[in-house]
Amino acid sequence: MVKMTYAEAAKLALAEEMRRDPLVWAIGEDLGRGGVFGQYLGLLNEFGPERISDAPISESAIMGASVGAAMAGTRPVVEMRFADFALCAVDELINQAAKARYMLGGQVKVPMVIREPMGMWRSSAAQHSQSLESWYTHIPGLVVAVPSTPADNRGLLKTAIRSDDPVVYLEHKNIWGYEGDVPEDETLIPFGKGRLEKEGDDITIVSWSAQMHIAANAATLLQAEGISAELIDLRTLWPWDRQMVFDSVEKTGRLLITHESVSVGGFGAEIAATVAEQLFSVLKSPITRCAAPRVPISYAPPLEAKIRVSSEQIVEAARKSVAVSAGFK
Amino acid sequence: MIQPLNQNIDKDWFLEHHIMMHRIRAFEETAARANQDKLVLGAIHLSIGQEAIASGVCKNLMKEDFLLSTHRGHGHTLAKGADPEAMMLELLGRRGGICKGKGGSMHIADASVGMLGANGVVAANINIATGAAHAIKLKRETNISCCIFGDGAINRGPFLEGLNWSGVFNLPVLFVCENNGFASTTRTDAMTSGEGAAARARSMGITAIEVDGNDIVSVDEITREYIANIRNGNGPHLISFNTYRLHGHTASDPASYRPAAEVEAAWKEDPIERCSELLSRLGISREILNEHRKIALEEMERVYKTAKEAPWPSDDNAFSDVQDLGDPREGAF
Ligand SMILES: Cc1ncc(C[n+]2csc(CCOP(=O)(O)OP(=O)(O)O)c2C)c(N)n1
Ligand SMILES: [Mg+2]
């Protein structure tokens, strides 16, 4: 194992894939100087400006040209700078990238990775903080990845680059500097396989991306008061590891889902509905969601904090879930 | 408008154009009939009156060159070399359709001849074609990319973003604007500030020109010249072809928003008749020229008959070609 940050792990993955396959290239604004978060730092030296390419501030061309470049046989890694700016390229992603293979009856494929740094970070306010992962899960044709650790960021990005389909790859801005162990060998992480962050018996907590770390802290706090939580990091939302969630809920009988994005229409709702459909009879208490209120994200830290879902909120919700369980059936 | 006769014109080459233009016209007329017969289910956009652009441009492309087209893309696809039977099957949504019945008219494509797709979203193909050219450059290949779009498309963002991009990266791409005077039911002029596609392209440092798009000789010559420039590494070029959409926006649009006299005058500039006129002045008999139309109509009649008799695609097709995650009906997917 090697210690490295979430950003360094992604950089390593991209460099490894670019060395392996000359058709892989990265394109985005300010990549030459290392990307706005330093996640491309040093790559220009090794790969040159054609493969670590700056782009004009033309999000729809960055996305749309990459669709064409992917159809024409290369593997673009598209940097969107902030997930919020990818909204300037919605047609290119949703109507073109996601559907070209299907609409053309399988005549073309669109192997591209769309990196979208997302989430709340340093008082960035409503246009630089959003987590829109659930939108993408709604679109047939897209894969949606939401890594939370350096090891997963390396292993998933490599899988994404090798994928023949467009992958919306959402890295969380608040954990670029988060350090963790990364395997020495090239471990690829398949889509649709969750990670058991912590085993437990009393309640299943499902999370992803940076919120997973807040949930992990909640699980530790719960342990201290005698509630044993099992924590699952889904890692990819489409496909998502239903089996891991089902197995866990069958054991614990309780489910709590927590994500940083808005609760309404969030992916937690999909998980809750699926578990309710499949495992209603094993549930000992109602399924709980801990996610953001449906308001834009504020600038001032105390206001921004109102949007965040804290470990304490998760602990409180988990306590309630465990408490009501007796009478629920 | 009668051109001065140029005896150096390669007759055989323009006979081939004449045949292709007739095939496109016959395909479109047959598609219009299929639409009246209620066998084409979605909207179709006919390119009647614009055949010289399709034939003139595509004949100068190699099979390896990429082509991206618009909602009005049947002619381009046929001229790039696609099989009209597979195209008609697609328009009718039948088994054997070139996109397996999943795309229809607005997504007609034949990747085997470099035709990477019509598009249902106006101007979306500009960035995609630019990106295909970007891939060519990265791979150090010698083919080019060609993008055909309408005069309405130049008012969408991708026109600015894609053209700028193609200039910044000096890409091998030919932009072709079909300036047919209309964007749906609105006159394009009324909604366009400034001088149009070619002027806008020039303002971004892209070589551009306006040309009579109903004159097959002009279309052919300028396309050949620009493609040679592009293949020589001189970056993106744009041609804005002036033409006229002789039918409605869709096959079911009577286009009653334009004066009959205007349409009548436009028919006098029919690119096929102009090509016939040229060839007959070069000594080709009217009989031979008329035969081209007859053969084309017979071909498309056969194609239509085959398509009408073909079964629907099997239901499984609804669930394939989504992504590499297995059958969407099973398990987690
Ligand atoms: C983004 C978008 N807006 C609107 C439409 C509806 N629409 C389809 S074709 C068309 C007119 C396009 O005009 P032009 O680009 O000149 O092409 P033409 O139809 O004349 O060939 C419109 C408005 C669309 N398909 N896509
Ligand atoms: Mg038009």
Side-chain angles (χ1 to χ4, degrees), chain A residues 14 18 21-28 31-32 40 43-55 66 69 74-77, chain B residues 131 133-141 165 168-172:
Chain A
L14 179 57
M18 288 182 72
D21 181 353
L23 294 172
V24 177
W25 60 297
I27 176 90
L31 288 205
Y40 297 84
L43 295 182
L44 178 68
N45 279 346
E46 181 175 353
F47 298 105
E50 269 202 330
R51 294 182 68 202
I52 296 292
S53 181
D54 283 335
S66 296
T74 68
R75 293 183 171 271
V77 175
Chain B
H134 206 131
I136 290 168
K137 186 174 181 196
L138 287 171
K139 293 163 85 176
R140 308 269 183 271
E141 286 174 349
W165 186 289
V168 164
F169 293 102
N170 195 41
L171 299 178

Side-chain angles (χ1 to χ4, degrees), chain B residues 151 180 182-183:
Chain B
D151 44 341
N180 64 6
F182 288 87

Side-chain angles (χ1 to χ4, degrees), chain A residues 23 25 27 49-51 53-74 88 91-92 95-96 98-99 101-109 139-143 163-166 191-192 238-242, chain B residues 66 68 90 98-100 102-104 107-112 115-121 124-125 127-141 156-158 161-162 164-165 168-169 317-325 331-333:
Chain A
L23 294 172
W25 60 297
I27 176 90
E50 269 202 330
R51 294 182 68 202
S53 181
D54 283 335
I57 307 166
S58 300
E59 282 73 17
S60 71
I62 295 171
M63 192 80 83
S66 296
V67 174
M71 284 183 183
T74 68
C88 300
D91 170 60
E92 288 75 9
N95 286 328
Q96 312 297 335
K99 298 184 176 66
R101 178 175 175 178
Y102 189 85
M103 293 187 300
L104 271 56
Q107 295 186 67
V108 297
K109 288 185 179 175
I139 307 300
L142 297 180
V143 171
S163 162
D164 277 344
D165 296 308
F191 297 143
W238 201 268
W240 66 284
D241 196 342
R242 293 183 191 209
Chain B
F66 296 122
L68 280 294
E90 186 63 29
I98 202 155
C99 303
K100 303 183 188 164
K102 304 185 196 199
H107 304 294
I108 204 90
D110 185 352
S112 73
M115 201 297 176
L116 297 182
N119 212 300
V121 177
N125 59 351
N127 284 324
I128 298 174
T130 300
H134 206 131
I136 290 168
K137 186 174 181 196
L138 287 171
K139 293 163 85 176
R140 308 269 183 271
E141 286 174 349
R156 281 206 66 230
E161 294 197 12
N164 178 63
W165 186 289
V168 164
F169 293 102
N317 281 295
F319 300 96
S320 61
D321 303 314
V322 180
Q323 55 192 151
D324 280 341
L325 293 176
F333 314 122

Side-chain angles (χ1 to χ4, degrees), chain B residues 150-152 178-184 188:
Chain B
D151 44 341
E178 294 182 318
N179 185 17
N180 64 6
F182 288 87
S184 187
T188 322

